[in-house]
Every structure is written in C-alpha cells, then in structure tokens.
Amino acid sequence: MNADAPAAVRSIRRLETVSDAQARGLAELLIDCVEGGASVSFMQPLPLSKALAFWRQVAEGVERGDRALLIAEDTQGIVGTVQLVLAQPDNQPHRADLSKMLVHRRARCQGWGEALMRAAEQLASDCGKSLLVLDTSSDSAERLYARLGWQRVGVIPGYALLPQGGLCATTYFYRWLNGDPAALRTAVVTSALEADGIP
C-alpha cells in the first residue's frame, strides 16, 4: 500500500491487531488532531486515558473483523490513520463507512491524506466493498475528497460541536469504487437471493 505514499512515509499498512505501543501512538495522534480543532467526536481537552479507551474499543472491532484499520508511519512513529467500518446491516453488504481519517499537524499538506484515502479505497475493494460513505466538517478535507473523485451529497447544519465548543456543520460524501451502480445493484440482489437459496 505504498505506491502513492509520499517519500517520507515509511509504510501505510493494515493492522490486524493493535499493540499497546500502537494504541498509544494512535491516542497521541487523536489528541493532536482534537487540539488542532478537528471535529472527530471528542471535546478539548482530550485526556490520554479517554483517547486510549477509544482506540482499545476500535482494536476490539478490528479483531472481530467489524473494522479495518490503516496506519501511516514515518521515522517518528504513527503520523496518520483511517478506518473502514465493514460491519453493516444485512441489506447493505456492499457498503462501508470511511471513518477517522486523521493526519498529525506536523505532517499536514505533505500528501499523507491522499495516500491514506487511496489505500483505504483499495482495501475496501479488496474486502468486497463497492460503495464508501463519509462525512466531514473540514473544508480542507472536503477539497481533498472532491479532488479524489468523491461525490458531495449535502450539508447538515449544526450537526456536532467543535472540540473547543460551538456548533459546526457536516458534509456527506460517497464514492462508488467499481463500475455502474445499476450493475452493482443487480449483483447485490442476485447475491442476496442466492444466499437465501433462491435460484
């Protein structure tokens, strides 16, 4: 998963399990993003204990196969991450949510976000997913997603609080990974019928 990664990236890889050291690195990354004003479910100040608890919960989902977790590393450790929420309702087996795409402030505007997004899209395809959905409250992230071919759906005003307080909007995006949605819809229905024993 390194083909499109910036030169400073040592690796972008999928974690099948999360070690204590990796959980600590991810927690520190999350704290940095929240301190920088990212609206990613947490308020300032974010204690290390709370950040660690979040990543331990994520790790449990990773081990169950409910989530896929990617990390980007440089010589100083974990510099970015993104998740795919693979576990979806029975009528949405083709879909995954792209979640918690985070890049450390010291590494912004260096291609990390694009590298993580491309790696996540490839991993989603490898996992049999054809539709990805995400939301963001970041203008810079919106520009990145649009440049990578994601389709903007719309804005929900007053969706969440900024980490320092005050309401912010969120913008939803989606991306089809493989082919025409109509053809994919037929394939999904056929797969569901076959699973139920209907020829």
Side-chain angles (χ1 to χ4, degrees):
M1 294 183 180
N2 298 326
D4 297 314
V9 176
R10 219 172 43 213
S11 68
I12 294 178
R13 59 193 175 105
R14 181 180 183 179
L15 295 184
E16 304 287 352
T17 60
V18 182
S19 69
D20 289 343
Q22 289 163 340
R24 175 72 181 235
L26 287 163
E28 291 172 350
L29 169 62
L30 179 59
I31 290 169
D32 175 79
C33 291
V34 172
E35 287 179 349
S39 179
V40 288
S41 305
F42 297 94
M43 303 298 290
Q44 296 174 355
L46 176 57
L48 178 60
S49 58
K50 190 168 187 176
L52 282 169
F54 168 75
W55 287 109
R56 291 185 180 119
Q57 186 177 33
V58 170
E60 292 174 0
V62 167
E63 292 181 4
R64 289 193 304 268
D66 294 341
R67 291 175 181 262
L69 175 63
L70 291 171
I71 61 169
E73 297 168 293
D74 68 1
T75 56
Q76 298 181 53
I78 296 176
V79 75
T81 185
V82 66
Q83 298 175 47
L84 293 171
V85 183
L86 302 173
Q88 299 293 336
D90 288 348
N91 66 340
Q92 300 167 48
H94 59 297
R95 185 174 73 79
D97 293 330
L98 192 146
S99 175
K100 293 293 186 293
M101 207 282 284
L102 306 173
V103 175
H104 199 284
R105 282 179 291 176
R106 66 177 169 80
R108 300 280 169 86
C109 301
Q110 298 178 28
W112 300 90
E114 180 174 349
L116 281 163
M117 290 295 293
R118 292 193 185 282
E121 290 175 8
Q122 182 60 57
L123 178 56
S125 182
D126 293 344
C127 291
K129 301 296 185 179
S130 54
L131 174 63
L132 295 179
V133 177
L134 64 79
D135 71 283
T136 182
S137 61
S138 165
D139 291 340
S140 59
E142 281 197 43
R143 291 191 293 272
L144 170 63
Y145 303 147
R147 181 162 56 82
L148 294 179
W150 287 68
Q151 301 300 307
R152 188 175 186 269
V153 177
V155 179
I156 302 176
Y159 184 81
L161 292 174
L162 292 166
Q164 66 272 27
L167 288 170
C168 66
T170 198
T171 304
Y172 274 85
F173 286 80
Y174 74 91
R175 179 165 171 77
W176 285 101
L177 299 178
N178 303 304
D180 176 72
L184 290 165
R185 186 163 55 247
T186 300
V188 168
V189 171
T190 301
S191 176
L193 291 173
E194 290 175 349
D196 289 336
I198 301 173

